Amino acid sequence: MKRDFNEFKEYIRDKKVGVVGIGVSNLPLIKFLLKLGARVSAFDRRELSDLGPEVQELADRIEIFLGHDYLDHLDGLDVIFKTPGMRIDDPHLVRAKEKGTIITSEMEEFLKYCKARTFGVTGSDGKTTTTTVLGLLLKEAGYKVFVGGNIGTPLFDKVEDIRHDHMVVLELSSFQLMTMTVSPDVAIVTNLSPNHLDMHKGMQEYIDAKKNIFLHQGKDDILILNEDNEITKMFAGEAKGVVEFFSSTKELEDAYFMDGTLYLRDEKVVELKDMLVKGVHNAENFLAAFLAAKDYVSIDEMRKVALTFPGVKHRCQLVREYKGVRYYNDSIASSPTRTLASLKALDTKVNLIAGGYDKNIDLSPVAFQGYKYIKNAVLVGDTRFKLKEAFDNLANMKGIFVPVHMAESFEDAVYIAKRLSKPGDIVALSPACASFDSFKNFEERGDRFASLVNDF
């Protein structure tokens, strides 16, 4: 049962509220809390000059704590909205909670009060594509759709504008889900594999965080799972509502991919070869979205979206063909499973650019499972030696040799890949690692790759 937002408005008025993190996504939250009459304090590691003019304009309306000790000032608050990347067991938050402060997040409060039907998507790979496709399906059927969470725009400040007949689609990360005590009406788990183990204490904590997307559902809610993923398949036993499955390896009653065709309840929807996006992993993303949308979207509408969806930026995105060589930006691939899925989707062996920030996950699958799709491996970033060791082990243990080229910088990696390529080749930036060793995020990394390629 969704709660009446008037409860929140009455509660929050004149309360001392802290917002941790003054990034672009939290500015609407701060302004909304001020509009509701809260006394807002904001906290950030950066200095005021680094936060932009919009924050500086708010300086006379909120109390701001900045610098390396910014979290030392959380005492005396009634409510703290934490940023998703902040662990709930951070000592500063633990101390504040012990003193009676309510710790929450924008997404948790949004789901409590949102009147519309909510769809949540999580997983290790495919979240953004599945979320985007699901939003497009519902829009094609004529619904007013709000897309948010990890993508789109913050939604909490729009909660009063979202009606019962609207639809909300949310991409939810493990960091957002870790502390959630409310779940969306329809939950999708695309797949799970080791990821973000630099932030989580282990794989089990990562899995447990993902489970919160469905653990708080009711008996009439829906959970959509990947039948082919051993971890997600087991979630069915803990579900409180209806469970549906999709598969790319076997024929199921719900949704499946067989002989090049996507089926929903045994009805043919579309052939993968006719879609603009390629690869079995994209077939799986669409199957999950079809299942979620089936009560609201016709097969014809599904087919139309499938035939016209061009893909999401930074996800196996063709940047340019130059002198007969195709250059693909797959910067989103921050794990081996994502990189392997993209390599399999391309139609020839790839000159691969890989490496980046170390998330403490096993990178050996890039070599041991990816070798058959790789022509040359150009390695860069903090993990380049870890990846080189994986290819060396492949040669020593299996007798399989993949030419490896070590780059001193990201720019160097792109130019090495260009030099190695001949007409008909593919160069793919599909790093299997996060970007934080050299870039602010994967988008900045992908944009830099595209800029270098377009400057050839």
Side-chain angles (χ1 to χ4, degrees):
M1 174 70 80
K2 302 295 177 69
R3 292 164 58 176
D4 185 345
F5 191 64
N6 285 316
E7 295 177 18
F8 181 86
K9 291 167 74 173
E10 291 173 12
Y11 171 77
I12 210 70
R13 187 181 301 116
D14 211 34
K15 289 292 193 298
K16 295 178 181 177
V17 181
V19 177
V20 179
I22 318 179
V24 174
S25 61
N26 270 347
L27 285 175
L29 171 63
I30 291 171
K31 292 177 181 178
F32 188 48
L33 291 170
L34 287 171
K35 178 183 174 183
L36 296 178
R39 290 181 282 166
V40 180
S41 299
F43 305 81
D44 202 287
R45 187 185 301 275
R46 295 168 292 176
E47 298 300 328
L48 189 60
S49 59
D50 299 325
L51 293 174
E54 200 171 354
V55 177
Q56 295 173 32
E57 289 170 8
L58 288 170
D60 61 343
R61 302 177 61 197
I62 64 176
E63 194 168 9
I64 301 179
F65 297 91
L66 304 172
H68 69 279
D69 63 344
Y70 71 111
L71 293 177
D72 292 340
H73 306 280
L74 296 180
D75 292 341
L77 296 169
D78 298 304
V79 180
I80 293 174
F81 282 80
K82 75 174 192 70
T83 189
M86 187 179 187
R87 291 185 58 89
I88 193 64
D89 57 3
D90 180 284
H92 300 90
L93 289 182
V94 171
R95 186 167 63 245
K97 188 174 182 179
E98 288 173 348
K99 294 181 178 181
T101 301
I102 295 172
I103 313 296
T104 188
S105 67
E106 179 181 24
M107 187 52 60
E108 182 161 358
E109 296 304 317
F110 175 76
L111 279 172
K112 284 179 187 175
Y113 298 104
C114 177
K115 297 185 289 289
R117 189 155 182 79
T118 53
F119 300 78
V121 181
T122 197
S124 298
D125 303 316
K127 293 188 297 294
T128 300
T129 297
T130 304
T131 301
T132 304
V133 168
L134 180 52
L136 290 172
L137 289 170
L138 294 167
K139 286 178 184 175
E140 183 64 30
Y143 290 95
K144 174 70 173 177
V145 182
F146 295 83
V147 177
N150 253 12
I151 62 172
T153 56
L155 294 178
F156 188 46
D157 63 325
K158 299 177 179 65
V159 69
E160 291 184 286
D161 301 324
I162 298 175
R163 303 195 315 247
H164 291 279
D165 58 341
H166 292 163
M167 299 287 187
V168 172
V169 185
L170 304 168
E171 177 186 321
L172 299 171
S173 69
S174 60
F175 308 128
Q176 288 168 310
L177 288 166
M178 265 188 89
T179 57
M180 295 281 271
T181 58
V182 59
S183 298
D185 302 315
V186 180
I188 297 173
V189 188
T190 58
N191 49 65
L192 279 182
S193 59
N195 207 347
H196 301 300
L197 299 188
D198 56 323
M199 291 290 291
H200 291 288
K201 291 181 177 178
M203 186 62 185
Q204 191 58 51
E205 183 185 88
Y206 176 61
I207 293 170
D208 290 342
K210 295 291 193 181
K211 285 182 183 180
N212 279 331
I213 199 170
F214 69 87
L215 285 179
H216 310 286
Q217 288 186 316
K219 63 181 178 61
D220 297 322
D221 293 330
I222 298 171
L223 172 61
I224 295 168
L225 298 173
N226 186 340
E227 165 74 17
D228 304 329
N229 185 276
E230 289 300 319
I231 299 173
T232 60
K233 185 167 63 173
M234 300 301 293
F235 288 176
E238 299 179 65
K240 296 178 174 67
V242 177
V243 181
E244 297 177 335
F245 291 97
F246 64 92
S247 172
S248 62
T249 64
K250 61 192 78 167
E251 189 173 331
L252 302 176
E253 65 176 28
D254 296 325
Y256 60 93
F257 175 71
M258 188 69 65
D259 298 328
T261 300
L262 285 72
Y263 292 90
L264 177 65
R265 299 285 165 86
D266 288 327
E267 185 172 355
K268 176 181 174 180
V269 181
V270 67
E271 293 188 27
L272 182 59
K273 67 179 178 59
D274 296 328
M275 294 166 60
L276 297 179
V277 294
K278 305 304 179 186
V280 174
H281 64 297
N282 275 315
E284 293 173 345
N285 296 334
F286 269 83
L287 291 172
F290 290 162
L291 274 175
K294 68 183 182 304
D295 293 333
Y296 310 97
V297 182
S298 70
I299 293 292
D300 285 342
E301 289 163 339
M302 291 179 184
R303 184 178 298 112
K304 181 178 177 181
V305 172
L307 293 174
T308 57
F309 177 64
V312 182
K313 190 178 180 184
H314 305 295
R315 290 153 178 84
C316 225
Q317 171 200 13
L318 178 62
V319 175
R320 181 187 185 191
E321 183 170 330
Y322 176 74
K323 293 188 176 180
V325 179
R326 285 174 286 161
Y327 291 83
Y328 285 88
N329 168 18
D330 193 41
S331 184
I332 185 64
S334 60
S335 67
T337 52
R338 175 66 70 91
T339 293
L340 289 168
S342 295
L343 291 175
K344 292 173 185 177
L346 295 168
D347 55 16
T348 188
K349 279 194 171 186
V350 169
N351 289 324
L352 174 69
I353 300 174
Y357 172 79
D358 193 348
K359 295 193 291 184
N360 295 327
I361 59 178
D362 180 17
L363 298 178
S364 64
V366 176
F368 280 78
Q369 296 177 40
Y371 70 86
K372 63 187 74 170
Y373 310 105
I374 301 171
K375 184 176 182 180
N376 289 280
V378 182
L379 308 181
V380 68
D382 288 353
T383 58
R384 64 190 185 278
F385 295 108
K386 191 173 179 180
L387 281 164
K388 182 179 185 301
E389 183 180 8
F391 282 102
D392 288 345
N393 288 340
L394 176 69
N396 294 331
M397 296 166 61
K398 303 279 190 179
I400 299 170
F401 177 73
V402 174
V404 170
H405 309 264
M406 304 295 281
E408 294 301 316
S409 68
F410 187 76
E411 290 75 13
D412 185 35
V414 175
Y415 295 135
I416 290 172
K418 177 189 174 189
R419 189 175 69 246
L420 291 169
S421 299
K422 298 176 173 58
D425 281 355
I426 288 176
V427 172
L429 168 68
S430 191
C433 302
S435 59
F436 307 127
D437 57 338
S438 301
F439 299 95
K440 185 168 58 178
N441 49 44
F442 74 84
E443 292 97 338
E444 185 178 82
R445 175 172 64 187
D447 288 341
R448 180 60 180 151
F449 175 74
S451 175
L452 290 167
V453 170
N454 284 322
D455 283 345
F456 288 167

